[in-house]
C-alpha cells in the first residue's frame, strides 16, 4: 500500500508503479536524504512542532538506517516510489507510529529539492578536486617543456613557433575557468529549499534558517514556489560539466593527432593506450577517443534538462524527476573522463626533437622575418610582401628561411644582415615573444606560477 493510499480505492497497477518509481536511480541520494531528514526532525523538535522525545527517536532511527545502508545490511530492493518514501517506510517499520511524524511541515517536493542540492554540492566539490589534479599535471608537464619548441597552428596549418609548455598552459587556463564556473555555480546550489513544503509553505512555526545552518547552507531560498520548481542549478552544473567535456574533447583530439605517425609529437604509455585485435602494430588512443565521444552524451544530458524544463508551469511537476538520471550521468562521465585523462597525460612521453623538426619545416618564422625588416624601418605591409617572396623562393628551391645565404636574402632586401640568422632561429623567435601572455619562457613561467597559485587556494 502507498503512503497516499487514503484517497484511493484501488491498488496501483504494477506497471504504473514501475513507471513512476525513481528508486532505482535516486537511491544514490540515500545519505543526503537521511541527513536532510535528521536536520528537519531536529528543527521540528526544537520548534516544539513535535515532542523532544519523538525528535530523538526519529533521529536515532534515521542514523540506524544510514548505518545499515552504509554497511549493506539494507538494500534498495523495494517497490517504494522513491528514496524519500523508502526511508520513511523503513523508519516507521522500525520505530512505529512516531516515524509518521517526520513528514510534518514538509513535502517530497521540497525534500527532493533539498536532496539534489546536497548531492550536487558533493559532486561539485569532487569535480573541482579532479580538475585541480589535472591542472597540477598540466603545470608539471609545462615546467618540463618550457623550452620545447613546437609549431602553433591556425586552420591546422603551421603558424608561429610556441613551446609545448605554452600550448599546455592554454588548457590550464580553460580548466581554471572551469573551476571558477563550478565555484560560482556552487553559490546557487548552496541555498536551502526545505520548508517550502509542497508549494505554499506551511502554517507550522518552522525555522528554516535552523535547517540551513545545521546542513551548512549559505542561506535559505526566498520564495516557496521557486524553491520547489527551480532546477536552474542542476542545469548550470550540467553546463559547467559540458564545458569541461568540451575542453577535454579538444585536448583529446590533439592528443589523438599528436600520437599519430604523421605528427608523432607524443607517445602514450602502454598502460593508457590499447591494441588492435587484428593489426599488431597498432597503439590506439582509445581513452582520448572515448573522452571525445562522451562529450556528446554530456551535451545530451544538458539538452535533456533544458528541454525537460522549458514548458513546465509552476511549481513542481513530475517531469522534474527526469533531472536525476541526466545530471548523474553527466557527473559520472565527466569525473571518470577527467581522472583517466589526467593519468593518460601524466604518463605520456613528449618528443621534443620531432616537435622541433615540425617547427623548422613550416616557415613558421616568416612573421619573425617580416618583423625583422619592420624593426629596421620597412613598413610592416612591405616587409610582409618581401617575406612572402622569400618564402615562395624557398618553396621553389626546397630551402628553409634559416638555410638561405645572405646573398639570397639580399636579393629580396638590402636591409638583411648577418644577424638575420640569429633573429630567425626558432629559439630566438620564441624567446622574443615576450609580450604579456606570450610563449617566451619567462612569460610561460609566470602563467604556470599563476595557475599553481590558483590551484593552491
Ligand atoms: N521522486 C520525485 C522526484 O524525483 C520526488 C518528488 C515527488 N513529489 C510528488 N509530489 N510526486 O522528483
Amino acid at each position: 500500500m502507498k503512503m497516499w493510499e487514503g484517497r484511493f480505492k484501488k491498488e496501483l497497477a504494477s506497471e504504473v508503479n514501475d513507471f513512476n518509481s525513481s528508486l532505482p536511480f535516486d537511491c544514490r541520494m540515500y545519505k543526503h536524504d537521511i541527513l536532510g531528514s535528521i536536520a528537519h526532525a531536529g528543527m521540528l523538535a526544537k520548534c516544539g512542532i513535535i515532542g523532544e522525545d519523538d525528535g530523538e527517536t526519529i533521529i536515532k532511527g534515521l542514523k540506524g538506517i544510514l548505518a545499515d545502508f552504509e554497511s549493506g545490511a539494507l538494500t534498495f530492493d523495494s517497490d517504494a516510489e522513491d528514496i524519500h518514501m523508502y526511508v520513511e517506510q523503513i523508519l516507521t517499520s522500525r520505530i512505529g507510529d512516531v516515524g509518521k511524524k517526520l513528514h510534518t511541515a514538509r513535502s517530497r517536493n521540497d525534500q527532493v529539492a533539498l536532496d539534489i542540492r546536497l548531492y550536487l554540492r558533493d559532486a561539485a566539490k569532487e569535480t573541482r578536486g579532479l580538475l585541480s589534479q589535472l591542472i597540477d599535471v598540466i603545470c608539471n608537464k609545462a615546467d618540463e617543456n618550457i623550452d620545447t619548441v613546437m609549431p602553433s597552428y591556425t586552420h591546422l596549418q603551421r603558424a608561429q613557433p610556441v613551446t609545448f609548455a605554452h600550448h599546455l598552459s592554454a588548457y590550464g587556463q580553460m580548466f581554471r575557468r572551469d573551476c571558477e564556473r563550478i565555484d560560482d555555480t556552487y553559490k546557487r546550489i548552496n541555498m536551502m529549499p526545505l520548508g517550502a513544503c509542497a508549494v505554499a509553505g506551511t502554517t507550522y512555526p518552522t525555522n528554516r534558517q535552523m535547517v540551513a545552518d545545521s546542513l551548512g547552507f549559505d542561506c535559505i531560498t526566498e520564495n516557496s514556489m521557486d524553491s520547489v520548481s527551480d532546477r536552474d542549478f542542476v542545469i548550470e552544473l550540467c553546463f559547467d560539466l559540458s564545458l569541461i567535456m568540451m575542453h577535454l574533447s579538444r585536448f583529446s583530439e590533439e592528443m589523438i593527432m599528436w600520437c599519430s605517425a604523421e605528427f608523432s609529437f607524443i607517445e602514450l604509455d602502454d598502460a593508457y593506450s590499447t591494441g588492435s585485435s587484428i593489426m599488431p602494430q597498432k597503439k590506439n588512443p582509445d581513452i582520448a577517443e572515448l573522452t571525445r565521444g562522451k562529450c556528446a552524451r554530456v551535451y545530451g544530458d544538458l539538452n535533456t534538462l533544458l528541454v525537460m524544463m522549458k514548458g513546465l508551469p509552476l511549481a513542481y511537476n513530475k517531469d522534474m524527476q527526469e533531472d536525476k538520471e541526466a545530471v548523474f550521468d553527466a557527473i559520472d562521465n565527466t569525473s571518470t573522463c577527467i581522472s583517466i585523462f589526467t593519468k593518460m597525460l601524466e604518463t605520456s612521453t613528449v618528443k621534443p626533437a620531432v616537435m622541433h623538426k615540425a617547427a623548422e619545416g613550416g616557415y613558421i618564422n616568416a612573421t619573425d622575418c617580416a618583423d625583422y625588416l619592420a624593426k629596421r624601418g620597412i613598413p610592416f605591409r612591405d616587409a610582409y610582401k618581401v617575406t612572402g617572396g622569400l618564402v615562395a623562393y624557398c618553396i621553389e628551391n626546397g630551402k628553409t628561411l634559416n638555410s638561405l645565404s645572405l646573398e639570397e636574402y639580399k636579393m629580396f632586401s638590402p636591409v638583411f644582415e648577418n644577424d638575420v640568422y640569429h633573429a630567425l632561429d626558432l629559439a630566438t623567435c620564441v624567446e622574443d615573444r615576450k609580450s604579456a601572455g606570450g610563449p617566451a619562457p619567462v612569460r610561460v613561467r609566470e602563467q604556470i606560477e599563476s595557475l599553481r597559485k590558483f590551484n593552491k587556494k
Side-chain angles (χ1 to χ4, degrees):
M1 270 289 168
K2 289 284 170 200
M3 287 196 180
W4 27 263
E5 68 193 313
R7 191 201 179 287
F8 289 77
K9 300 209 165 54
K10 272 188 179 177
E11 275 275 359
L12 189 66
S14 74
E15 60 187 346
V16 176
N17 198 49
D18 292 346
F19 184 64
N20 222 16
S21 174
S22 53
L23 189 63
F25 49 87
D26 65 16
C27 60
R28 68 157 87 187
M29 304 193 302
Y30 73 87
K31 193 175 98 201
H32 309 91
D33 189 77
I34 293 172
L35 293 178
S37 287
I38 289 174
H40 179 64
M43 180 278 289
L44 290 178
K46 281 211 185 79
C47 295
I49 299 168
I50 60 172
E52 294 260 342
D53 290 355
D54 288 351
E56 270 170 35
T57 311
I58 291 172
I59 290 172
K60 208 167 145 232
L62 287 168
K63 286 185 175 161
I65 296 172
L66 180 57
D68 288 350
F69 275 137
E70 231 109 75
S71 73
L74 263 174
T75 63
F76 299 104
D77 187 16
S78 155
D79 69 347
E81 195 180 309
D82 52 32
I83 186 65
H84 327 297
M85 290 222 175
Y86 186 40
V87 170
E88 200 184 321
Q89 230 173 53
I90 304 169
L91 182 69
T92 308
S93 77
R94 288 186 176 186
I95 65 169
D97 278 355
V98 185
K100 296 181 184 166
K101 296 191 179 180
L102 172 62
H103 213 51
T104 313
R106 178 175 87 168
S107 143
R108 275 184 301 152
N109 297 351
D110 57 342
Q111 191 180 353
V112 72
L114 174 68
D115 291 5
I116 192 82
R117 283 174 185 272
L118 286 169
Y119 188 89
L120 294 191
R121 273 198 331 196
D122 286 352
K125 278 189 216 149
E126 203 202 302
T127 312
R128 187 67 175 70
L130 292 172
L131 281 176
S132 277
Q133 288 172 23
L134 174 57
I135 291 176
D136 224 34
V137 167
I138 287 176
C139 288
N140 294 343
K141 270 250 176 299
D143 251 347
E144 292 161 17
N145 287 284
I146 207 89
D147 297 311
T148 306
V149 174
M150 73 180 280
S152 64
Y153 296 81
T154 64
H155 314 272
L156 203 53
Q157 307 287 321
R158 288 174 192 159
Q160 289 172 337
V162 292
T163 62
F164 191 51
H166 193 52
H167 198 124
L168 286 173
S169 302
Y171 284 104
Q173 296 297 326
M174 294 176 227
F175 295 121
R176 173 196 185 141
R177 289 196 293 277
D178 290 331
C179 288
E180 289 167 344
R181 248 185 299 274
I182 290 182
D183 293 345
D184 202 57
T185 300
Y186 192 89
K187 292 185 218 153
R188 282 173 291 281
I189 296 175
N190 205 21
M191 299 174 162
M192 210 292 296
L194 202 75
C197 304
V199 55
T202 181
T203 54
Y204 291 101
T206 51
N207 185 336
R208 296 184 56 211
Q209 190 58 49
M210 195 184 279
V211 178
D213 291 342
S214 66
L215 292 170
F217 280 96
D218 289 335
C219 59
I220 59 171
T221 53
E222 290 187 12
N223 177 297
S224 69
M225 297 181 79
D226 181 50
S227 306
V228 289
S229 67
D230 169 30
R231 291 294 182 272
D232 294 3
F233 58 95
V234 182
I235 296 173
E236 225 183 302
L237 185 67
C238 201
F239 172 73
D240 298 347
L241 299 177
S242 299
L243 273 197
I244 294 171
M245 288 305 293
M246 188 259 271
H247 295 146
L248 279 180
S249 185
R250 294 183 72 179
F251 206 163
S252 292
E253 168 65 13
E254 299 209 294
M255 293 289 271
I256 294 163
M257 285 194 310
W258 290 341
C259 61
S260 70
E262 282 69 16
F263 272 85
S264 208
F265 285 2
I266 56 160
E267 184 170 346
L268 296 179
D269 190 78
D270 282 359
Y272 289 90
S273 46
T274 45
S276 152
S277 58
I278 171 167
M279 297 167 280
Q281 83 282 14
K282 293 270 273 208
K283 188 166 176 185
N284 293 331
D286 282 28
I287 294 174
E289 290 170 84
L290 260 180
T291 302
R292 194 176 55 184
K294 282 179 190 293
C295 175
R297 72 191 269 170
V298 175
Y299 286 3
D301 294 327
L302 174 63
N303 197 45
T304 297
L305 291 168
L306 285 168
V307 179
M308 182 267 285
M309 288 300 289
K310 76 179 260 294
L312 297 187
L314 300 190
Y316 178 82
N317 300 270
K318 188 75 171 210
D319 316 43
M320 288 154 76
Q321 178 167 288
E322 289 288 310
D323 64 351
K324 282 166 217 68
E325 280 163 296
V327 76
F328 293 162
D329 184 76
I331 292 164
D332 293 347
N333 281 289
T334 307
S335 24
T336 314
C337 287
I338 304 172
S339 61
I340 197 155
F341 188 94
T342 301
K343 289 187 199 119
M344 177 185 72
L345 178 67
E346 191 175 22
T347 56
S348 64
T349 311
V350 181
K351 300 198 210 156
V354 185
M355 288 185 178
H356 198 276
K357 200 142 192 276
E360 285 161 19
Y363 306 101
I364 64 173
N365 44 5
T367 316
D368 302 84
C369 182
D371 287 341
Y372 172 92
L373 293 173
K375 281 176 191 160
R376 283 157 186 79
I378 310 225
F380 182 78
R381 269 290 151 244
D382 296 337
Y384 173 97
K385 224 173 163 181
V386 170
T387 309
L390 267 163
V391 169
Y393 176 84
C394 285
I395 293 171
E396 266 163 42
N397 296 282
K399 297 191 168 183
T400 65
L401 287 173
N402 304 62
S403 67
L404 293 178
S405 67
L406 191 57
E407 288 68 44
E408 287 173 303
Y409 271 116
K410 288 215 183 267
M411 279 160 37
F412 291 85
S413 167
V415 174
F416 283 115
E417 293 301 340
N418 243 327
D419 58 356
V420 69
Y421 297 105
H422 176 70
L424 297 194
D425 186 81
L426 289 176
T428 318
C429 296
V430 169
E431 220 148 278
D432 284 353
R433 294 175 180 277
K434 287 197 184 77
S435 56
V442 287
R443 292 289 95 88
V444 178
R445 273 197 199 95
E446 288 167 3
Q447 289 183 48
I448 298 172
E449 201 186 311
S450 139
L451 268 172
R452 284 218 166 100
K453 211 164 127 201
F454 168 80
N455 226 16
K456 272 203 210 93
K457 272 195 294 184

